[in-house]
Amino acid sequence: MQLIIIGPYLFTIFVLYLIPLGMYSPCIREEGTLGPKPALIGHRGEPMLAPENTEMSFQKAIENGAVGLETDVRISSDGVPFLMHDNTLKRTTNVDEVYPEASSVHASFFSWADLKVLNAGKWFLKVRLDKPFLQMDTLSRADQILAMNQSIFKLSNFLRLANRENKLVIFDLYRPPEKHPYRNKWLNRILDVIVKESRINPHLVLWLPDDKRSFVETVAPGFQHTSRHKAPVETFLKFNIVKLNLPYPEMSNGFTLVSRRYAKANITTNYYVISEPWLFSLAWCAGAHSVTTNAVHRLKELNLPVFLMTPKDYRIMWILTDAISVLLISCIFTFHWIELPATFGRFFFT
């Protein structure tokens, strides 16, 4: 009976000892092979330090060294593109107070005159008080006052800020809903704002939407076309796509090799949304060129991945761990076999 129990136990222990030696991580690599630190793109600016998608948020991202700014673009009922992630204005503005009867109306059905009077920052301070985020840093009194006085940001003003600071921009464009005046001409209107009104350096624009790429390239030939889907290198070269924008779960073992193949063709890779140092470290080791993050101010402090070692050091670590474990298990079994007969003997004679 003891052999029946011990046999599977020892086999399981043996398998567990071998598993770490076959595990893979991009951060287990030969010395000197780590690539440059990924650049940081502020996701809606710096949403841990300021209300998302506001001028303050983007200024904070710029102050902390972001090379790019990510945002979401909608278009008002009178054709003014503005920054807003949600379909409605309830979460990030005081629409409930100003227009209570229209608080659930789609954001794109408001005119710019109605949108620009809304406060887009008070909610941020309220959320911090009611449901404080553990990852959020403490705001100074000056920043609290500034946050309370933020308005909805126009796309044109956002682009002028990025152009002035020489920052890349990438955005999700949301087509307005049915019966919207700009339902069928929204893309043309947004391109007008980008090319004619803001006059941003076209090379700073990472153009993400797949719709009408040929048309967009004709109107703005300097845009850096970016794809949200993997495809063969030949396809990207055919459509002048120079960057991939992928969710971080795409950092699979196989894709690390694929991203290197893209890099050889001068196609860079951006992962989103990465805010934890350990996840940023994986992206760094996987060869990411940049990451979109909620925490520019924190990730900028990392000088090396939090976990980085050579294959030799990794093997030595696990071999030593296994050896110590074997020693401990052996001691426990030895104690068991010595102590158990004595215990039975005392019990029997008593």
Side-chain angles (χ1 to χ4, degrees):
M1 179 60 69
Q2 289 175 341
L3 289 176
I4 293 174
I5 295 173
I6 293 173
Y9 172 77
L10 293 178
F11 176 77
T12 302
I13 291 294
F14 179 73
V15 171
L16 290 175
Y17 285 162
L18 294 181
I19 286 176
L21 299 180
M23 291 178 65
Y24 169 83
S25 169
C27 288
I28 301 173
R29 56 196 309 123
E30 296 295 345
E31 192 172 351
T33 62
L34 181 67
K37 180 179 177 178
L40 303 175
I41 297 176
H43 182 238
R44 307 177 200 169
E46 269 275 30
M48 290 186 184
L49 301 179
E52 66 181 59
N53 281 331
T54 62
E55 182 177 8
M56 177 185 178
S57 188
F58 296 115
Q59 289 282 11
K60 288 290 184 183
I62 292 168
E63 290 170 11
N64 283 289
V67 302
L69 307 171
E70 185 274 348
T71 189
D72 313 275
V73 181
R74 299 184 182 275
I75 190 166
S76 69
S77 62
D78 51 346
V80 177
F82 64 98
L83 310 188
M84 181 63 56
H85 175 266
D86 298 1
N87 286 336
T88 69
L89 306 169
K90 295 184 71 170
R91 181 175 67 88
T92 57
T93 75
N94 63 338
V95 67
D96 282 332
E97 299 173 9
V98 182
Y99 308 116
E101 72 289 347
S103 61
S104 297
V105 173
H106 196 286
S108 292
F109 282 118
F110 286 80
S111 69
W112 178 245
D114 292 335
L115 291 168
K116 69 181 182 181
V117 301
L118 295 175
N119 183 291
K122 288 181 179 178
W123 69 273
F124 181 71
L125 298 179
K126 186 175 185 300
V127 167
R128 293 174 71 99
L129 291 173
D130 294 348
K131 301 177 182 178
F133 293 107
L134 295 179
Q135 291 184 332
M136 283 185 168
D137 295 332
T138 304
L139 288 184
S140 67
R141 181 57 183 165
D143 280 345
Q144 290 182 38
I145 295 172
L146 185 60
M148 289 181 64
N149 290 282
Q150 294 300 299
S151 304
I152 295 176
F153 212 23
K154 286 173 68 174
L155 174 62
S156 57
N157 291 337
F158 166 75
L159 296 172
R160 290 188 187 103
L161 172 64
N163 191 50
R164 186 168 63 250
E165 300 292 340
N166 196 35
K167 301 298 180 183
L168 297 169
V169 295
I170 184 169
F171 32 70
D172 285 317
L173 303 181
Y174 295 96
R175 187 181 183 184
E178 295 285 349
K179 299 182 180 180
H180 189 280
Y182 283 83
R183 169 73 176 176
N184 296 319
K185 49 186 177 180
W186 64 286
L187 190 59
N188 299 66
R189 177 65 188 126
I190 289 173
L191 285 170
D192 280 344
V193 171
I194 297 173
V195 177
K196 298 177 181 178
E197 292 185 24
S198 72
R199 299 185 180 277
I200 187 173
N201 178 353
H203 191 69
L204 294 175
V205 179
L206 305 179
W207 185 260
L208 191 58
D210 291 322
D211 295 340
K212 301 181 180 179
R213 283 196 186 273
S214 298
F215 169 72
V216 172
E217 194 165 13
T218 301
V219 175
F223 287 0
Q224 294 192 61
H225 283 263
T226 304
S227 175
R228 63 177 88 235
H229 306 291
K230 293 179 287 186
V233 171
E234 297 74 20
T235 301
F236 286 159
L237 295 177
K238 178 181 177 181
F239 292 99
N240 297 320
I241 292 174
V242 298
K243 183 179 282 290
L244 264 174
N245 187 55
L246 299 171
Y248 72 81
E250 294 284 358
M251 289 189 298
S252 60
N253 296 348
F255 193 67
T256 301
L257 300 175
V258 176
S259 64
R260 292 174 185 166
R261 198 176 309 137
Y262 284 137
K264 289 181 180 179
N266 293 320
I267 300 169
T268 57
T269 308
N270 180 74
Y271 292 108
Y272 66 92
V273 173
I274 293 176
S275 301
E276 297 294 337
W278 69 269
L279 193 54
F280 177 71
S281 298
L282 282 178
W284 188 344
C285 295
H289 178 264
S290 60
V291 301
T292 302
T293 178
N294 292 322
V296 175
H297 64 297
R298 291 185 178 176
L299 299 187
K300 73 171 185 176
E301 302 296 335
L302 265 66
N303 296 317
L304 281 174
V306 294
F307 173 78
L308 181 65
M309 61 175 58
T310 65
K312 179 181 177 181
D313 291 339
Y314 179 77
R315 286 192 295 269
I316 290 173
M317 179 189 72
W318 278 110
I319 289 172
L320 288 175
T321 302
D322 289 350
I324 293 171
S325 174
V326 169
L327 181 61
L328 290 174
I329 291 174
S330 299
C331 291
I332 292 171
F333 269 90
T334 301
F335 175 80
H336 172 77
W337 293 118
I338 292 174
E339 186 68 21
L340 191 60
T343 302
F344 272 111
R346 288 194 298 270
F347 176 79
F348 179 77
F349 286 109
T350 302

Short mmCIF file of all heavy atoms in Angstrom, two decimals, residues 335-350:
data_model
loop_
_atom_site.label_atom_id
_atom_site.label_comp_id
_atom_site.label_asym_id
_atom_site.label_seq_id
_atom_site.Cartn_x
_atom_site.Cartn_y
_atom_site.Cartn_z
N PHE A 335 12.73 10.99 8.45
CA PHE A 335 12.14 11.20 9.77
C PHE A 335 10.89 10.35 9.94
O PHE A 335 10.65 9.75 10.98
CB PHE A 335 11.80 12.68 9.95
CG PHE A 335 11.07 12.98 11.24
CD1 PHE A 335 11.77 13.08 12.43
CD2 PHE A 335 9.69 13.15 11.25
CE1 PHE A 335 11.10 13.35 13.62
CE2 PHE A 335 9.02 13.41 12.42
CZ PHE A 335 9.72 13.51 13.61
N HIS A 336 10.11 10.24 8.86
CA HIS A 336 8.87 9.46 8.91
C HIS A 336 9.16 7.99 9.17
O HIS A 336 8.54 7.37 10.03
CB HIS A 336 8.13 9.63 7.59
CG HIS A 336 6.94 8.72 7.45
ND1 HIS A 336 5.75 8.95 8.10
CD2 HIS A 336 6.79 7.56 6.74
CE1 HIS A 336 4.89 7.98 7.79
NE2 HIS A 336 5.50 7.13 6.99
N TRP A 337 10.14 7.42 8.45
CA TRP A 337 10.42 5.98 8.58
C TRP A 337 11.09 5.66 9.90
O TRP A 337 10.97 4.55 10.42
CB TRP A 337 11.29 5.50 7.43
CG TRP A 337 10.59 5.55 6.11
CD1 TRP A 337 10.91 6.27 5.01
CD2 TRP A 337 9.40 4.84 5.76
NE1 TRP A 337 10.02 6.08 4.00
CE2 TRP A 337 9.06 5.19 4.43
CE3 TRP A 337 8.57 3.94 6.45
CZ2 TRP A 337 7.96 4.68 3.76
CZ3 TRP A 337 7.46 3.41 5.78
CH2 TRP A 337 7.17 3.80 4.46
N ILE A 338 11.84 6.59 10.46
CA ILE A 338 12.48 6.35 11.76
C ILE A 338 11.48 6.50 12.90
O ILE A 338 11.43 5.70 13.83
CB ILE A 338 13.66 7.31 11.97
CG1 ILE A 338 14.78 6.97 10.97
CG2 ILE A 338 14.19 7.24 13.40
CD1 ILE A 338 15.93 7.96 11.00
N GLU A 339 10.66 7.51 12.79
CA GLU A 339 9.75 7.85 13.89
C GLU A 339 8.54 6.93 13.94
O GLU A 339 8.04 6.59 15.01
CB GLU A 339 9.31 9.30 13.76
CG GLU A 339 8.47 9.83 14.91
CD GLU A 339 9.27 9.94 16.20
OE1 GLU A 339 10.51 10.00 16.14
OE2 GLU A 339 8.63 9.94 17.27
N LEU A 340 8.03 6.49 12.78
CA LEU A 340 6.79 5.73 12.74
C LEU A 340 6.88 4.38 13.47
O LEU A 340 6.02 4.07 14.29
CB LEU A 340 6.36 5.51 11.28
CG LEU A 340 4.94 4.96 11.09
CD1 LEU A 340 3.92 5.93 11.70
CD2 LEU A 340 4.64 4.74 9.62
N PRO A 341 7.91 3.53 13.25
CA PRO A 341 7.99 2.27 14.01
C PRO A 341 8.09 2.49 15.51
O PRO A 341 7.49 1.75 16.30
CB PRO A 341 9.27 1.63 13.46
CG PRO A 341 9.44 2.21 12.10
CD PRO A 341 8.97 3.63 12.25
N ALA A 342 8.86 3.51 15.92
CA ALA A 342 8.98 3.79 17.35
C ALA A 342 7.63 4.17 17.95
O ALA A 342 7.29 3.75 19.06
CB ALA A 342 10.00 4.90 17.57
N THR A 343 6.87 4.92 17.20
CA THR A 343 5.55 5.34 17.68
C THR A 343 4.62 4.15 17.85
O THR A 343 3.93 3.98 18.86
CB THR A 343 4.92 6.34 16.71
OG1 THR A 343 5.79 7.46 16.58
CG2 THR A 343 3.55 6.80 17.20
N PHE A 344 4.64 3.23 16.84
CA PHE A 344 3.81 2.03 16.93
C PHE A 344 4.27 1.13 18.08
O PHE A 344 3.46 0.51 18.78
CB PHE A 344 3.86 1.25 15.61
CG PHE A 344 2.83 1.71 14.62
CD1 PHE A 344 3.22 2.37 13.46
CD2 PHE A 344 1.48 1.48 14.83
CE1 PHE A 344 2.28 2.79 12.56
CE2 PHE A 344 0.53 1.90 13.93
CZ PHE A 344 0.93 2.55 12.78
N GLY A 345 5.59 1.07 18.29
CA GLY A 345 6.11 0.25 19.38
C GLY A 345 5.66 0.75 20.73
O GLY A 345 5.20 -0.04 21.59
N ARG A 346 5.73 2.04 20.94
CA ARG A 346 5.29 2.62 22.21
C ARG A 346 3.80 2.38 22.44
O ARG A 346 3.34 2.06 23.52
CB ARG A 346 5.61 4.11 22.25
CG ARG A 346 7.11 4.40 22.42
CD ARG A 346 7.33 5.87 22.80
NE ARG A 346 6.86 6.78 21.76
CZ ARG A 346 7.59 7.22 20.75
NH1 ARG A 346 8.85 6.80 20.64
NH2 ARG A 346 7.09 8.04 19.87
N PHE A 347 3.03 2.53 21.34
CA PHE A 347 1.59 2.35 21.44
C PHE A 347 1.25 0.90 21.78
O PHE A 347 0.39 0.61 22.61
CB PHE A 347 0.94 2.76 20.11
CG PHE A 347 -0.56 2.51 20.09
CD1 PHE A 347 -1.44 3.39 20.71
CD2 PHE A 347 -1.07 1.41 19.45
CE1 PHE A 347 -2.79 3.16 20.69
CE2 PHE A 347 -2.44 1.17 19.43
CZ PHE A 347 -3.28 2.06 20.05
N PHE A 348 1.97 -0.07 21.13
CA PHE A 348 1.65 -1.49 21.32
C PHE A 348 1.96 -1.95 22.74
O PHE A 348 1.17 -2.58 23.40
CB PHE A 348 2.46 -2.32 20.31
CG PHE A 348 2.23 -3.79 20.43
CD1 PHE A 348 1.08 -4.38 19.92
CD2 PHE A 348 3.17 -4.61 21.07
CE1 PHE A 348 0.87 -5.76 20.05
CE2 PHE A 348 2.97 -5.97 21.20
CZ PHE A 348 1.80 -6.54 20.68
N PHE A 349 3.15 -1.56 23.23
CA PHE A 349 3.55 -2.04 24.56
C PHE A 349 2.81 -1.32 25.67
O PHE A 349 2.66 -1.82 26.76
CB PHE A 349 5.07 -1.90 24.74
CG PHE A 349 5.83 -2.91 23.95
CD1 PHE A 349 6.56 -2.55 22.83
CD2 PHE A 349 5.79 -4.28 24.30
CE1 PHE A 349 7.25 -3.51 22.07
CE2 PHE A 349 6.48 -5.21 23.57
CZ PHE A 349 7.21 -4.83 22.45
N THR A 350 2.35 -0.11 25.40
CA THR A 350 1.56 0.60 26.39
C THR A 350 0.19 -0.06 26.53
O THR A 350 -0.33 -0.23 27.63
CB THR A 350 1.39 2.06 26.00
OG1 THR A 350 2.68 2.66 25.87
CG2 THR A 350 0.61 2.83 27.05
#
